[in-house]
Amino acid sequence: METLENKTFDELTIGDTAELIRTVTEQDILLFACLSGDNNPLHLDEEYAKSTQFGQRIAHGMFSALLVTTAVATKLPGPGTIYRGQDMKFQRPIFIGDTITAKLELTEKKKRGNLIKISCTMTNQRDEVVFSGVSTAIAPTEKIKIKASPLPKLSFEAEG
Amino acid sequence: METLENKTFDELTIGDTAELIRTVTEQDILLFACLSGDNNPLHLDEEYAKSTQFGQRIAHGMFSALLVTTAVATKLPGPGTIYRGQDMKFQRPIFIGDTITAKLELTEKKKRGNLIKISCTMTNQRDEVVFSGVSTAIAPTEKIKIKASPLPKLSFEAEG
């Protein structure tokens, strides 16, 4: 079983990095639509999407936010982090099949309140920046090493 | 079938509002974990969560971002909006069963580039602010009235 281990405030150093790579699938976009309730056909209907400026379906912009939050919560600094805020810019559309690399870097560390800032840039397989942002969090002060929870398997029934 | 209709840049007025209300379920949290990959037991394991400062499982902070993006993409201004960025602060944890009311308000409108800003505040059923943020977007210039796409039904298999 996967283990999650954090970096405590004292262990963190400006310049620390983490990376998360993910290829976006059609199922991801369907799931995002189900979970958020954003059923805009730009994301779900290929025919409609062809008539737009994008020429094909695109992922919901906020999909990229899922990669940042997961990288912060499981990698840098990991469990025990209190996520306080996120600024982000959606720079370019993400298409089905795109492979997104999210690179995080610790840019600030304040003893007062154990506040940290982490910058994040995401690029696609063509090295185009699709996302940039800054996370604000309270870093954990205690070392935590825990088992990740098992995730249920999902399946789709007929469209309803 | 649900219809999505936008407000064009010309139709938008400073002070326009939109609201989205949602009660957060255990399934929402499971789905968020599956989709994001954030399998931190704070969100998924009741026993572990009891040992933390929160005393119970909490929703992923970024869950609230799904409500903003959906309100912007389907209500204010709706389809045709190009979402450019989002700043947000996670003010308080969201627990399973909480009913979250997201209130959006158009606060800025710039002819140059049809740029708009929308503020969003979310409160829980105890009227505590759990989220605040500002969305930046390019408002649509053409009237769009489209059918929302049907969403597939999801089911969970045994935990894997």
Side-chain angles (χ1 to χ4, degrees):
Chain A
M1 192 177 281
E2 190 193 348
T3 298
L4 301 175
E5 186 174 348
N6 68 1
K7 284 192 168 185
T8 63
F9 181 82
D10 289 339
E11 289 171 337
L12 290 166
T13 308
I14 303 289
D16 281 352
T17 59
E19 198 175 274
L20 195 147
I21 298 174
R22 177 148 170 188
T23 299
V24 180
T25 66
E26 181 175 25
Q27 174 160 325
D28 289 333
I29 295 180
L30 280 173
L31 261 182
F32 191 98
C34 290
L35 181 57
S36 66
D38 181 354
N39 50 4
N40 196 307
L42 175 61
H43 312 297
L44 300 165
D45 181 336
E46 189 64 27
E47 279 311 303
Y48 174 77
K50 274 184 188 162
S51 74
T52 69
Q53 65 180 291
F54 301 107
Q56 59 178 298
R57 279 182 291 170
I58 62 172
H60 304 74
M62 196 60 86
F63 182 82
S64 45
L66 301 182
L67 308 192
V68 192
T69 185
T70 299
V72 168
T74 65
K75 297 189 173 204
L76 183 69
T81 304
I82 311 235
Y83 204 178
R84 296 302 305 276
Q86 178 72 46
D87 293 353
M88 48 194 164
K89 287 195 170 67
F90 310 119
Q91 311 266 21
R92 267 192 193 77
I94 295 176
F95 302 102
I96 294 172
D98 277 0
T99 297
I100 306 301
T101 302
K103 289 190 177 166
L104 275 69
E105 185 178 339
L106 188 80
T107 55
E108 251 184 82
K109 195 183 155 178
K110 284 184 189 165
K111 268 223 158 140
R112 190 169 168 172
N114 301 314
L115 272 178
I116 54 169
K117 290 199 177 189
I118 300 158
S119 74
C120 176
T121 304
M122 294 183 202
T123 49
N124 61 22
Q125 66 279 11
R126 291 174 297 279
D127 264 332
E128 297 163 332
V129 174
V130 296
F131 174 102
S132 60
V134 175
S135 313
T136 309
I138 300 172
T141 49
E142 283 176 33
K143 194 74 183 167
I144 298 177
K145 196 171 173 176
I146 42 172
K147 285 180 185 168
S149 292
L151 292 175
K153 281 174 194 154
L154 291 173
S155 61
F156 292 98
E157 287 170 27
E159 300 206 356
Chain B
M1 190 177 283
E2 190 193 348
T3 298
L4 301 175
E5 185 173 348
N6 68 1
K7 282 192 168 187
T8 63
F9 182 81
D10 289 337
E11 289 171 335
L12 290 166
T13 308
I14 305 289
D16 282 351
T17 59
E19 198 176 273
L20 195 146
I21 299 174
R22 179 151 168 184
T23 299
V24 181
T25 65
E26 181 174 25
Q27 173 161 324
D28 289 333
I29 295 180
L30 281 171
L31 261 182
F32 191 99
C34 289
L35 181 58
S36 67
D38 181 352
N39 49 4
N40 196 307
L42 174 60
H43 311 298
L44 301 165
D45 182 338
E46 189 65 27
E47 279 311 303
Y48 174 77
K50 275 184 189 161
S51 74
T52 69
Q53 64 178 292
F54 301 107
Q56 59 177 299
R57 280 182 290 169
I58 61 171
H60 304 74
M62 195 60 85
F63 182 82
S64 45
L66 301 183
L67 307 193
V68 191
T69 184
T70 298
V72 169
T74 66
K75 296 187 174 208
L76 183 71
T81 305
I82 311 233
Y83 203 177
R84 295 302 304 276
Q86 179 71 45
D87 293 354
M88 48 195 166
K89 288 195 171 66
F90 309 120
Q91 311 266 24
R92 266 192 193 79
I94 294 176
F95 302 101
I96 295 172
D98 278 0
T99 296
I100 305 301
T101 301
K103 287 189 179 168
L104 275 68
E105 184 178 341
L106 189 80
T107 56
E108 250 184 82
K109 195 183 156 180
K110 283 185 189 165
K111 267 223 157 145
R112 191 170 166 171
N114 301 314
L115 272 177
I116 54 169
K117 290 200 176 186
I118 300 158
S119 74
C120 176
T121 304
M122 293 184 205
T123 48
N124 61 22
Q125 66 279 12
R126 292 175 296 280
D127 264 331
E128 297 164 332
V129 174
V130 297
F131 174 102
S132 60
V134 176
S135 313
T136 309
I138 300 172
T141 50
E142 283 176 34
K143 194 72 184 167
I144 297 177
K145 195 172 174 176
I146 43 173
K147 285 182 185 167
S149 291
L151 293 174
K153 280 175 195 155
L154 291 173
S155 61
F156 292 97
E157 288 169 29
E159 300 207 354

